[in-house]
Amino acid sequence: MLAWVGVLWLVEALDVLSGHALDTFGIVPRQIGELRDIIPAAFIHFGFDHVAANSVPLFVLGFLAALRDLRRFVGVVLVIVVTSGLGVWLVAPAHTNTAGASGVVFGLFGYLLVRGFVDRRLLDIAVGLGIAVVYGSILWGVLPTAQGVSWQGHLFGLVGGVASAFLFRDVRSGIIR
């Protein structure tokens, strides 16, 4: 996770040095050619404040989500990125450009929140409850309350994370472990 967050900071530094040329990899809604930007948009940010806001929660939530199985984690993140990006592409206002890892942050939050209940693991339920206590206030970010913030990316990221808990579930028996 440290390497991933480092890459986000490096990409933003390159973006600044290039005069923000990488910002074109954000998602502009309902333009077919923009579908190719769904994955790169999760790595692009609009300034160092933007990447800083995503860094700590991405590191913490990503670390917790990746602890058990790195392959599962990669699948979860891919589902979140695609779900968040497609949601932005479908419902964001016309002529906007959306980028950033916050859809992944919201997705990992949702994934960790429900994973324990889906997998029937007491430890993961406890982790999810802890995550709810520490990061639960981010749920306000799925509401259209702040100008210039993609509630669409947040909402669809959250949906992708919850869906990932079911898609990548590990239920071996009906008992709680």
Side-chain angles (χ1 to χ4, degrees):
M1 286 312 300
L2 195 56
W4 184 357
V5 171
V7 165
L8 296 182
W9 282 88
L10 178 62
V11 168
E12 184 53 30
L14 293 172
D15 187 39
V16 168
L17 291 172
S18 70
H20 300 285
L22 298 179
D23 290 353
T24 62
F25 290 100
I27 302 166
V28 177
R30 292 170 300 286
Q31 293 183 13
I32 295 295
E34 291 294 310
L35 288 171
R36 71 176 173 262
D37 290 335
I38 285 175
I39 292 180
F43 295 88
I44 305 298
H45 289 81
F46 300 134
F48 287 109
D49 289 346
H50 188 203
V51 73
N54 286 324
S55 292
V56 172
L58 180 63
F59 178 82
V60 171
L61 298 173
F63 177 79
L64 291 171
L67 270 176
R68 180 164 296 117
D69 183 346
L70 195 55
R71 284 183 293 164
R72 183 181 188 185
F73 172 73
V74 170
V76 166
V77 169
L78 282 173
V79 168
I80 292 168
V81 168
V82 170
T83 304
S84 178
L86 282 174
V88 165
W89 188 82
L90 285 169
V91 302
H95 312 295
T96 58
N97 186 9
T98 302
S102 60
V104 176
V105 168
F106 277 77
L108 291 172
F109 171 81
Y111 172 72
L112 290 168
L113 201 61
V114 301
R115 174 180 74 176
F117 295 103
V118 172
D119 286 353
R120 298 177 183 257
R121 291 181 184 253
L122 285 176
L123 180 60
D124 289 341
I125 291 170
V127 168
L129 293 173
I131 292 300
V133 168
V134 174
Y135 286 107
S137 65
I138 73 167
L139 287 173
W140 292 109
V142 302
L143 300 174
T145 57
Q147 188 72 9
V149 175
S150 176
W151 63 268
Q152 299 92 346
H154 297 170
L155 175 63
F156 286 98
L158 183 67
V159 167
V162 171
S164 292
F166 289 93
L167 288 170
F168 296 98
R169 68 183 168 268
D170 184 25
V171 179
R172 294 186 189 141
S173 69
I175 61 169
I176 295 179
R177 301 182 290 276

CSV table of all heavy atoms in Angstrom, one decimal, residues 117-155:
chain,number,residue,atom,x,y,z
A,117,PHE,N,-19.5,-10.0,7.7
A,117,PHE,CA,-20.9,-10.5,7.7
A,117,PHE,C,-21.1,-11.5,6.6
A,117,PHE,O,-21.7,-12.6,6.7
A,117,PHE,CB,-21.9,-9.4,7.7
A,117,PHE,CG,-21.9,-8.5,8.9
A,117,PHE,CD1,-21.3,-7.3,8.8
A,117,PHE,CD2,-22.4,-9.0,10.1
A,117,PHE,CE1,-21.2,-6.5,9.9
A,117,PHE,CE2,-22.3,-8.2,11.2
A,117,PHE,CZ,-21.8,-6.9,11.1
A,118,VAL,N,-20.5,-11.2,5.4
A,118,VAL,CA,-20.7,-12.1,4.2
A,118,VAL,C,-19.9,-13.3,4.4
A,118,VAL,O,-20.3,-14.4,4.1
A,118,VAL,CB,-20.3,-11.3,2.9
A,118,VAL,CG1,-20.2,-12.3,1.7
A,118,VAL,CG2,-21.2,-10.2,2.7
A,119,ASP,N,-18.6,-13.2,4.9
A,119,ASP,CA,-17.7,-14.4,5.1
A,119,ASP,C,-18.0,-15.1,6.4
A,119,ASP,O,-17.4,-16.1,6.6
A,119,ASP,CB,-16.3,-13.9,5.0
A,119,ASP,CG,-15.8,-13.6,3.6
A,119,ASP,OD1,-16.6,-13.8,2.7
A,119,ASP,OD2,-14.7,-13.1,3.5
A,120,ARG,N,-18.8,-14.5,7.3
A,120,ARG,CA,-19.1,-15.1,8.6
A,120,ARG,C,-17.8,-15.3,9.4
A,120,ARG,O,-17.6,-16.4,9.9
A,120,ARG,CB,-19.9,-16.4,8.4
A,120,ARG,CG,-21.2,-16.2,7.7
A,120,ARG,CD,-21.9,-17.5,7.5
A,120,ARG,NE,-23.1,-17.3,6.8
A,120,ARG,CZ,-24.3,-17.3,7.4
A,120,ARG,NH1,-24.5,-17.5,8.6
A,120,ARG,NH2,-25.4,-17.1,6.6
A,121,ARG,N,-17.0,-14.2,9.5
A,121,ARG,CA,-15.8,-14.3,10.3
A,121,ARG,C,-15.9,-13.2,11.4
A,121,ARG,O,-16.0,-12.0,11.0
A,121,ARG,CB,-14.6,-14.0,9.4
A,121,ARG,CG,-14.3,-15.1,8.4
A,121,ARG,CD,-13.1,-14.7,7.6
A,121,ARG,NE,-12.8,-15.7,6.6
A,121,ARG,CZ,-11.8,-16.6,6.7
A,121,ARG,NH1,-11.0,-16.5,7.7
A,121,ARG,NH2,-11.6,-17.4,5.7
A,122,LEU,N,-15.8,-13.6,12.6
A,122,LEU,CA,-15.9,-12.7,13.7
A,122,LEU,C,-14.8,-11.6,13.7
A,122,LEU,O,-15.1,-10.4,13.9
A,122,LEU,CB,-15.8,-13.4,15.1
A,122,LEU,CG,-17.0,-14.2,15.5
A,122,LEU,CD1,-16.8,-15.0,16.7
A,122,LEU,CD2,-18.2,-13.3,15.6
A,123,LEU,N,-13.6,-12.0,13.3
A,123,LEU,CA,-12.5,-11.0,13.3
A,123,LEU,C,-12.8,-9.9,12.2
A,123,LEU,O,-12.6,-8.7,12.5
A,123,LEU,CB,-11.1,-11.7,13.0
A,123,LEU,CG,-9.9,-10.7,12.9
A,123,LEU,CD1,-9.7,-10.0,14.2
A,123,LEU,CD2,-8.7,-11.5,12.5
A,124,ASP,N,-13.3,-10.3,11.1
A,124,ASP,CA,-13.6,-9.4,10.0
A,124,ASP,C,-14.8,-8.5,10.4
A,124,ASP,O,-14.9,-7.4,10.0
A,124,ASP,CB,-13.9,-10.1,8.7
A,124,ASP,CG,-12.6,-10.6,8.1
A,124,ASP,OD1,-11.5,-10.2,8.5
A,124,ASP,OD2,-12.6,-11.5,7.2
A,125,ILE,N,-15.8,-9.1,11.1
A,125,ILE,CA,-16.9,-8.3,11.6
A,125,ILE,C,-16.4,-7.2,12.6
A,125,ILE,O,-16.8,-6.0,12.5
A,125,ILE,CB,-17.9,-9.2,12.3
A,125,ILE,CG1,-18.6,-10.1,11.3
A,125,ILE,CG2,-19.0,-8.3,13.1
A,125,ILE,CD1,-19.5,-11.2,11.9
A,126,ALA,N,-15.4,-7.6,13.4
A,126,ALA,CA,-14.8,-6.6,14.4
A,126,ALA,C,-14.1,-5.5,13.6
A,126,ALA,O,-14.2,-4.3,13.9
A,126,ALA,CB,-13.9,-7.3,15.4
A,127,VAL,N,-13.3,-5.9,12.6
A,127,VAL,CA,-12.6,-4.9,11.8
A,127,VAL,C,-13.6,-4.0,11.1
A,127,VAL,O,-13.4,-2.8,11.1
A,127,VAL,CB,-11.7,-5.7,10.7
A,127,VAL,CG1,-11.2,-4.7,9.7
A,127,VAL,CG2,-10.6,-6.4,11.4
A,128,GLY,N,-14.7,-4.5,10.5
A,128,GLY,CA,-15.7,-3.7,9.9
A,128,GLY,C,-16.3,-2.7,10.9
A,128,GLY,O,-16.6,-1.6,10.5
A,129,LEU,N,-16.6,-3.2,12.1
A,129,LEU,CA,-17.2,-2.3,13.1
A,129,LEU,C,-16.2,-1.2,13.5
A,129,LEU,O,-16.6,0.0,13.6
A,129,LEU,CB,-17.7,-3.1,14.3
A,129,LEU,CG,-18.8,-4.0,14.1
A,129,LEU,CD1,-19.1,-4.9,15.3
A,129,LEU,CD2,-20.1,-3.2,13.6
A,130,GLY,N,-14.9,-1.6,13.6
A,130,GLY,CA,-13.9,-0.6,13.9
A,130,GLY,C,-13.8,0.5,12.7
A,130,GLY,O,-13.7,1.7,13.0
A,131,ILE,N,-13.8,0.0,11.5
A,131,ILE,CA,-13.8,0.9,10.3
A,131,ILE,C,-15.0,1.8,10.4
A,131,ILE,O,-14.9,3.0,10.1
A,131,ILE,CB,-13.7,0.0,9.0
A,131,ILE,CG1,-12.4,-0.7,8.9
A,131,ILE,CG2,-14.0,0.9,7.8
A,131,ILE,CD1,-11.2,0.2,8.9
A,132,ALA,N,-16.1,1.3,10.7
A,132,ALA,CA,-17.4,2.1,10.8
A,132,ALA,C,-17.2,3.2,11.8
A,132,ALA,O,-17.6,4.4,11.6
A,132,ALA,CB,-18.6,1.3,11.1
A,133,VAL,N,-16.6,2.9,13.0
A,133,VAL,CA,-16.4,3.9,14.0
A,133,VAL,C,-15.4,5.0,13.5
A,133,VAL,O,-15.6,6.2,13.7
A,133,VAL,CB,-15.9,3.3,15.3
A,133,VAL,CG1,-15.4,4.3,16.3
A,133,VAL,CG2,-17.0,2.4,15.9
A,134,VAL,N,-14.3,4.5,12.9
A,134,VAL,CA,-13.2,5.5,12.6
A,134,VAL,C,-13.5,6.3,11.3
A,134,VAL,O,-13.3,7.5,11.2
A,134,VAL,CB,-11.8,4.7,12.4
A,134,VAL,CG1,-10.8,5.6,11.8
A,134,VAL,CG2,-11.4,4.1,13.7
A,135,TYR,N,-14.1,5.6,10.3
A,135,TYR,CA,-14.3,6.2,9.0
A,135,TYR,C,-15.8,6.4,8.6
A,135,TYR,O,-16.1,6.9,7.5
A,135,TYR,CB,-13.6,5.4,7.9
A,135,TYR,CG,-12.1,5.6,7.9
A,135,TYR,CD1,-11.3,4.6,8.3
A,135,TYR,CD2,-11.5,6.8,7.5
A,135,TYR,CE1,-9.9,4.7,8.3
A,135,TYR,CE2,-10.1,6.9,7.5
A,135,TYR,CZ,-9.3,5.9,7.9
A,135,TYR,OH,-8.0,6.0,7.9
A,136,GLY,N,-16.7,6.1,9.5
A,136,GLY,CA,-18.1,6.1,9.2
A,136,GLY,C,-18.6,7.5,8.7
A,136,GLY,O,-19.5,7.5,7.9
A,137,SER,N,-18.0,8.5,9.1
A,137,SER,CA,-18.4,9.9,8.7
A,137,SER,C,-18.2,10.1,7.2
A,137,SER,O,-18.8,11.0,6.6
A,137,SER,CB,-17.7,11.0,9.5
A,137,SER,OG,-16.4,11.0,9.2
A,138,ILE,N,-17.4,9.3,6.5
A,138,ILE,CA,-17.2,9.5,5.1
A,138,ILE,C,-18.5,9.2,4.3
A,138,ILE,O,-18.6,9.7,3.2
A,138,ILE,CB,-16.0,8.7,4.5
A,138,ILE,CG1,-16.3,7.2,4.4
A,138,ILE,CG2,-14.7,9.0,5.2
A,138,ILE,CD1,-15.3,6.4,3.5
A,139,LEU,N,-19.4,8.5,4.9
A,139,LEU,CA,-20.7,8.2,4.2
A,139,LEU,C,-21.4,9.5,3.8
A,139,LEU,O,-22.2,9.5,2.8
A,139,LEU,CB,-21.6,7.4,5.1
A,139,LEU,CG,-21.1,5.9,5.2
A,139,LEU,CD1,-22.0,5.2,6.2
A,139,LEU,CD2,-21.2,5.2,3.8
A,140,TRP,N,-21.1,10.6,4.4
A,140,TRP,CA,-21.7,11.9,4.0
A,140,TRP,C,-21.2,12.2,2.6
A,140,TRP,O,-21.9,12.9,1.8
A,140,TRP,CB,-21.4,13.0,4.9
A,140,TRP,CG,-22.1,12.9,6.3
A,140,TRP,CD1,-21.5,12.6,7.4
A,140,TRP,CD2,-23.5,13.0,6.5
A,140,TRP,NE1,-22.4,12.5,8.4
A,140,TRP,CE2,-23.7,12.8,7.9
A,140,TRP,CE3,-24.6,13.3,5.7
A,140,TRP,CZ2,-24.9,12.8,8.5
A,140,TRP,CZ3,-25.8,13.4,6.3
A,140,TRP,CH2,-26.0,13.1,7.7
A,141,GLY,N,-20.1,11.7,2.2
A,141,GLY,CA,-19.5,11.9,0.8
A,141,GLY,C,-20.3,11.3,-0.3
A,141,GLY,O,-20.0,11.6,-1.5
A,142,VAL,N,-21.3,10.5,0.0
A,142,VAL,CA,-22.1,9.9,-1.1
A,142,VAL,C,-23.3,10.8,-1.4
A,142,VAL,O,-24.1,10.5,-2.3
A,142,VAL,CB,-22.6,8.5,-0.8
A,142,VAL,CG1,-21.4,7.5,-0.6
A,142,VAL,CG2,-23.5,8.4,0.3
A,143,LEU,N,-23.4,11.9,-0.7
A,143,LEU,CA,-24.5,12.8,-0.9
A,143,LEU,C,-24.0,14.0,-1.7
A,143,LEU,O,-22.9,14.5,-1.5
A,143,LEU,CB,-25.1,13.3,0.4
A,143,LEU,CG,-25.7,12.2,1.3
A,143,LEU,CD1,-26.1,12.7,2.7
A,143,LEU,CD2,-26.8,11.5,0.6
A,144,PRO,N,-24.8,14.6,-2.6
A,144,PRO,CA,-24.4,15.7,-3.4
A,144,PRO,C,-24.4,17.0,-2.5
A,144,PRO,O,-25.2,17.9,-2.7
A,144,PRO,CB,-25.4,15.8,-4.5
A,144,PRO,CG,-26.6,15.1,-3.9
A,144,PRO,CD,-26.2,14.1,-2.9
A,145,THR,N,-23.5,17.1,-1.6
A,145,THR,CA,-23.5,18.3,-0.7
A,145,THR,C,-22.3,19.3,-1.0
A,145,THR,O,-22.4,20.4,-0.6
A,145,THR,CB,-23.3,17.8,0.8
A,145,THR,OG1,-22.2,17.0,0.9
A,145,THR,CG2,-24.5,17.0,1.2
A,146,ALA,N,-21.3,18.9,-1.7
A,146,ALA,CA,-20.1,19.8,-1.9
A,146,ALA,C,-19.9,20.0,-3.4
A,146,ALA,O,-19.8,19.0,-4.1
A,146,ALA,CB,-18.9,19.2,-1.2
A,147,GLN,N,-19.8,21.2,-3.8
A,147,GLN,CA,-19.5,21.6,-5.2
A,147,GLN,C,-18.1,21.1,-5.5
A,147,GLN,O,-17.2,21.2,-4.7
A,147,GLN,CB,-19.6,23.1,-5.3
A,147,GLN,CG,-19.5,23.5,-6.8
A,147,GLN,CD,-20.8,23.2,-7.6
A,147,GLN,OE1,-21.8,22.8,-7.0
A,147,GLN,NE2,-20.7,23.4,-8.9
A,148,GLY,N,-17.9,20.5,-6.7
A,148,GLY,CA,-16.6,20.0,-7.1
A,148,GLY,C,-16.2,18.7,-6.5
A,148,GLY,O,-15.0,18.3,-6.8
A,149,VAL,N,-17.0,18.0,-5.8
A,149,VAL,CA,-16.7,16.7,-5.2
A,149,VAL,C,-17.6,15.7,-5.9
A,149,VAL,O,-18.8,15.9,-5.9
A,149,VAL,CB,-16.9,16.7,-3.7
A,149,VAL,CG1,-16.6,15.3,-3.1
A,149,VAL,CG2,-16.0,17.7,-3.0
A,150,SER,N,-17.0,14.6,-6.4
A,150,SER,CA,-17.8,13.6,-7.1
A,150,SER,C,-18.5,12.7,-6.2
A,150,SER,O,-18.0,11.6,-5.9
A,150,SER,CB,-16.9,12.8,-8.1
A,150,SER,OG,-17.6,11.8,-8.7
A,151,TRP,N,-19.7,13.0,-5.7
A,151,TRP,CA,-20.4,12.1,-4.9
A,151,TRP,C,-20.8,10.9,-5.7
A,151,TRP,O,-20.9,9.8,-5.2
A,151,TRP,CB,-21.7,12.8,-4.4
A,151,TRP,CG,-22.7,13.2,-5.5
A,151,TRP,CD1,-22.7,14.4,-6.1
A,151,TRP,CD2,-23.7,12.4,-6.1
A,151,TRP,NE1,-23.7,14.5,-7.0
A,151,TRP,CE2,-24.4,13.2,-7.0
A,151,TRP,CE3,-24.2,11.1,-5.9
A,151,TRP,CZ2,-25.4,12.8,-7.8
A,151,TRP,CZ3,-25.2,10.7,-6.7
A,151,TRP,CH2,-25.8,11.5,-7.6
A,152,GLN,N,-20.8,11.0,-7.1
A,152,GLN,CA,-21.1,9.9,-7.9
A,152,GLN,C,-20.0,8.8,-7.8
A,152,GLN,O,-20.3,7.6,-7.7
A,152,GLN,CB,-21.2,10.3,-9.4
A,152,GLN,CG,-22.3,11.3,-9.7
A,152,GLN,CD,-21.9,12.7,-9.6
A,152,GLN,OE1,-20.8,13.1,-9.1
A,152,GLN,NE2,-22.7,13.6,-10.1
A,153,GLY,N,-18.7,9.3,-7.9
A,153,GLY,CA,-17.6,8.3,-7.7
A,153,GLY,C,-17.6,7.7,-6.3
A,153,GLY,O,-17.3,6.5,-6.2
A,154,HIS,N,-18.0,8.5,-5.3
A,154,HIS,CA,-18.0,7.9,-3.9
A,154,HIS,C,-19.1,6.9,-3.8
A,154,HIS,O,-18.9,5.8,-3.3
A,154,HIS,CB,-18.3,9.1,-2.9
A,154,HIS,CG,-17.2,10.1,-2.9
A,154,HIS,ND1,-17.3,11.3,-2.2
A,154,HIS,CD2,-16.0,10.1,-3.5
A,154,HIS,CE1,-16.2,12.0,-2.3
A,154,HIS,NE2,-15.4,11.3,-3.1
A,155,LEU,N,-20.3,7.2,-4.3
A,155,LEU,CA,-21.5,6.3,-4.2
A,155,LEU,C,-21.2,5.0,-4.9
A,155,LEU,O,-21.4,4.0,-4.4
A,155,LEU,CB,-22.7,7.0,-4.7
A,155,LEU,CG,-24.0,6.1,-4.7
A,155,LEU,CD1,-24.4,5.7,-3.3
A,155,LEU,CD2,-25.2,6.9,-5.4
